[in-house]
């Protein structure tokens, strides 16, 4: 399991944008598919909401990588 931290300058970042920003998904379309297929966890629970807003302290997991928002 790999862990990363992504610092944001706004109040939140949408889940699909986080996956693209940290390089886990090459395109927004691919991010949409993996989220809707239930392959992504947010704070330890499967999340199928593409527009899920992540704020500092939240973490997302996909393909053995955990990304924490700070």
């Amino acid at each position: 399991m790999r862990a990363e931290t992504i610092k944001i300058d706004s109040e939140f970042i949408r889940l699909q944008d986080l996956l693209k920003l940290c390089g886990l998904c090459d395109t927004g379309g691919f991010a949409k598919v993996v989220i809707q297929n239930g392959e992504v966890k947010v704070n330890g629970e499967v999340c199928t909401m593409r527009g899920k807003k992540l704020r500092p302290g939240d973490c997302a997991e996909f393909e053995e990588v955990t990304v924490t928002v700070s």
Side-chain angles (χ1 to χ4, degrees):
M1 179 76 74
R2 190 173 97 220
E4 293 184 22
T5 300
I6 296 289
K7 182 164 177 44
I8 60 171
D9 296 325
S10 56
E11 178 187 346
F12 63 85
I13 185 170
R14 295 196 192 304
L15 181 55
Q16 73 269 20
D17 296 332
L18 178 71
L19 295 177
K20 288 190 305 185
L21 179 65
C22 62
L24 294 177
C25 292
D26 294 334
T27 66
F30 181 60
K32 175 182 172 181
V33 169
V34 299
I35 293 167
Q36 289 179 332
N37 286 345
E39 298 177 43
V40 180
K41 288 184 179 181
V42 173
N43 297 327
E45 295 185 15
V46 172
C47 179
T48 57
M49 295 171 39
R50 295 186 288 140
K52 174 75 174 166
K53 295 176 182 176
L54 301 178
R55 292 176 166 78
D58 288 334
C59 62
E61 298 173 42
F62 176 62
E63 291 190 341
E64 300 296 317
V65 178
T66 300
V67 180
T68 302
V69 179
S70 70

